[in-house]
């Protein structure tokens, strides 16, 4: 009628609705990020809640168990801050005071050791570096202003440090009922499909978040202990920085290595080569032993997709996009596989075997 193809109209309407939903998600991306971080924090806390539920008396409700777990974590964070926070803050203040001297090109040129065959070229290299620093000085002030604005923006959003635990508490308390109500809205076949998808996503996110937390903790302990034993300055500060950057896939560990070597190198640390050997040994142990073992719960993404996801995530949402790129890609992979299995089971078509298996998503 009237030359309108109903099938094409339905397809166009579906595409329009999908585009509208994606646009709305993009517009509320800041709020969505808070919700995602709350979900991640809930996955960190939930194993303790399960332990509490296992050993609690019958008269104690589940809400009380969740509240006690959060109070325990708050107390633990306070003790950790008292033990390590003051020392890290002192090291940060000392580094900020030493920074002008560390960045002085003339002093740096005398402190950094060079191979014997490069010693005759030291003055030329210093002159070249000095020229480049002077040429880029004009861009340093605008960059510092942008950095200051970013710091103020982060400081103004410190309320999220309180909001995220509150949302996590509510998610743990209401999560099972919310999942059940969602599945009840669907018909039988769709409920079965999405039940499997949500179960797989639950395993994926639980394994991913807990693996990141354990890898970050291992990085903090290993870097801080090794640097302290070597007598390196700012050991806890550098270890804490490396631990925080561990949450950013691929880019974070590389940035941590660059920051560590730059600070120690500019500071004239004598055992910089031993530090480099330690970093290479630790990254090999983590990337090929710890990370594959901890991230064995379905976080299997091809390295090419990881790199593309990192670039796309950076363009869409900056650091947050980089952080979320790997779990988002892995979640899309799970949804695609489950939908394909349901379709092939319904039509009776065989499922084609993949050409190759995906490699683990984490690397140095």
């Amino acid at each position: 009628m009237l030359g309108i193809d109903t099938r094409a109209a339905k397809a166009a309407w579906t595409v329009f609705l999908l585009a509208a939903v994606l646009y709305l998600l993009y517009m509320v991306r800041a709020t969505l990020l808070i919700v995602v971080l709350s979900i991640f924090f809930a996955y960190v806390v939930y194993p303790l809640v399960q332990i509490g539920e296992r050993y609690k008396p019958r008269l104690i409700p589940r809400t009380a168990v969740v509240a006690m777990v959060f109070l325990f974590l708050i107390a633990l964070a306070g003790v950790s801050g008292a033990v390590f926070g003051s020392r890290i803050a002192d090291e940060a203040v000392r580094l900020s005071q030493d920074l002008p001297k560390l960045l002085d090109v003339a002093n740096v040129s005398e402190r950094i050791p060079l191979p014997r065959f490069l010693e005759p070229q030291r003055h030329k290299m210093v002159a070249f570096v000095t020229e480049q620093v002077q040429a880029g000085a004009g861009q340093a002030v605008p960059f510092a202003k942008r950095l200051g604005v970013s710091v103020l923006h982060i400081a103004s959003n410190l309320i999220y440090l309180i909001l995220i635990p509150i949302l996590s508490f509510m998610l743990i308390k209401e999560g099972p009922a919310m999942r059940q109500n969602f599945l009840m809205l669907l018909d039988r076949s769709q409920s079965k499909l999405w039940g499997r998808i949500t179960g797989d996503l639950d395993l994926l996110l639980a394994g991913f978040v807990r693996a990141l937390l354990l890898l970050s903790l291992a990085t903090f302990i290993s870097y801080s202990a090794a640097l302290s034993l070597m007598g390196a300055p700012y050991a806890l500060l550098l270890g804490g920085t490396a631990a925080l950057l561990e949450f950013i896939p691929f880019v974070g560990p590389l940035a941590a290595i660059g920051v560590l070597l730059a600070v120690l190198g500019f500071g004239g640390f004598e055992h910089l080569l031993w530090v480099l050997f330690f970093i290479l040994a630790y990254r090999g142990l983590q990337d090929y032993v710890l990370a594959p073992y901890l991230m064995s719960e379905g976080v299997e993404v091809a390295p090419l997709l990881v790199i593309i996801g990192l670039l796309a995530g950076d363009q869409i949402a900056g650091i947050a996009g980089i952080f979320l790129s790997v779990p988002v890609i892995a979640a899309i992979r799970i949804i695609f596989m489950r939908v394909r299995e349901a379709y092939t089971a319904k039509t009776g078509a065989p499922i084609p075997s993949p050409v190759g298996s995906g490699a683990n998503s984490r690397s140095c």
Side-chain angles (χ1 to χ4, degrees):
M1 183 178 182
L2 299 177
I4 299 178
D5 188 349
T6 56
R7 181 177 298 180
K10 290 181 179 179
W13 177 248
T14 302
V15 172
F16 171 77
L17 288 180
L18 180 61
V21 169
L22 293 176
Y23 177 74
L24 289 176
L25 291 177
Y26 179 78
M27 293 298 296
V28 297
R29 58 190 183 276
T31 303
L32 191 62
L33 177 61
I34 300 303
V35 174
V36 171
L37 293 178
S38 303
I39 293 173
F40 283 4
F41 187 73
Y43 275 111
V44 173
V45 177
Y46 191 65
L48 297 177
V49 175
Q50 289 178 314
I51 295 174
E53 288 182 321
R54 188 180 306 165
Y55 296 103
K56 74 177 180 68
R58 294 184 178 180
L59 297 179
I60 297 180
R62 184 173 184 271
T63 303
V65 175
V66 178
M68 287 188 290
V69 168
F70 272 83
L71 290 176
F72 168 75
L73 290 177
I74 292 173
L76 181 62
V79 172
S80 301
V83 174
F84 299 105
S86 59
R87 183 175 171 184
I88 293 177
D90 292 341
E91 291 183 355
V93 171
R94 183 154 51 92
L95 177 60
S96 64
Q97 294 174 349
D98 296 341
L99 205 57
K101 182 177 65 176
L102 296 179
L103 296 179
D104 185 22
V105 178
N107 293 332
V108 169
S109 65
E110 298 299 330
R111 287 196 303 266
I112 296 180
L114 292 177
R116 291 184 178 180
F117 68 90
L118 288 179
E119 282 293 342
Q121 306 298 324
R122 179 184 291 270
H123 296 291
K124 293 182 179 180
M125 296 172 65
V126 171
F128 175 77
V129 172
T130 304
E131 181 181 353
Q132 297 302 317
V133 170
Q134 292 175 352
Q139 301 177 0
V141 174
F143 175 77
K145 290 181 179 180
R146 292 196 301 268
L147 182 61
V149 172
S150 301
V151 171
L152 291 176
H153 178 72
I154 294 173
S156 65
N157 293 331
L158 290 179
I159 186 63
Y160 294 144
L161 294 178
I162 302 175
L163 183 60
I164 288 175
I166 294 175
L167 291 177
S168 300
F169 176 86
M170 298 175 65
L171 286 170
I172 294 176
K173 180 177 175 293
E174 305 292 342
M178 293 171 59
R179 178 177 183 271
Q180 190 65 28
N181 293 333
F182 168 72
L183 295 177
M184 289 177 62
L185 295 175
L186 307 174
D187 57 44
R188 184 174 180 181
S189 60
Q190 293 294 323
S191 176
K192 186 177 181 180
L193 170 63
W194 283 99
R196 292 176 178 176
I197 290 176
T198 53
D200 290 342
L201 292 178
D202 182 49
L203 291 176
L204 165 70
L205 292 177
F208 179 76
V209 173
R210 293 166 196 169
L212 278 184
L213 182 64
L214 292 175
L215 290 174
S216 177
L217 182 61
T219 299
F220 175 71
I221 295 174
S222 301
Y223 275 50
S224 301
L227 293 175
S228 298
L229 290 175
M230 295 179 191
Y234 325 113
L236 280 182
L237 177 62
L238 294 176
T241 302
L244 290 177
L245 290 173
E246 198 69 35
F247 285 93
I248 304 176
F250 191 79
V251 179
L254 289 176
I257 294 173
V259 170
L260 191 149
L261 293 179
V263 171
L264 296 182
F266 287 174
F269 184 61
E270 297 179 354
H271 306 294
L272 193 61
L273 190 60
W274 287 109
V275 173
L276 182 59
F277 285 155
F278 160 75
I279 292 175
L280 294 177
Y282 177 76
R283 296 313 310 180
L285 175 65
Q286 192 197 75
D287 294 335
Y288 296 101
V289 179
L290 288 178
Y293 175 75
L294 294 174
M295 291 198 171
S296 59
E297 294 290 340
V299 191
E300 296 180 356
V301 182
L304 178 61
L305 289 179
V306 172
I307 296 175
I308 295 175
L310 292 174
L311 296 175
D314 178 51
Q315 292 181 348
I316 294 173
I319 298 296
I322 295 176
F323 170 66
L324 296 174
S325 60
V326 172
V328 167
I329 294 175
I332 293 174
R333 172 180 174 269
I334 287 176
I335 295 174
F336 173 77
M337 291 180 62
R338 284 300 186 184
V339 171
R340 187 182 64 171
E341 289 177 2
Y343 176 78
T344 52
K346 182 178 180 180
T347 59
I351 300 177
S353 59
V355 176
S357 59
N360 193 277
S361 63
R362 287 190 58 90
S363 58
C364 175

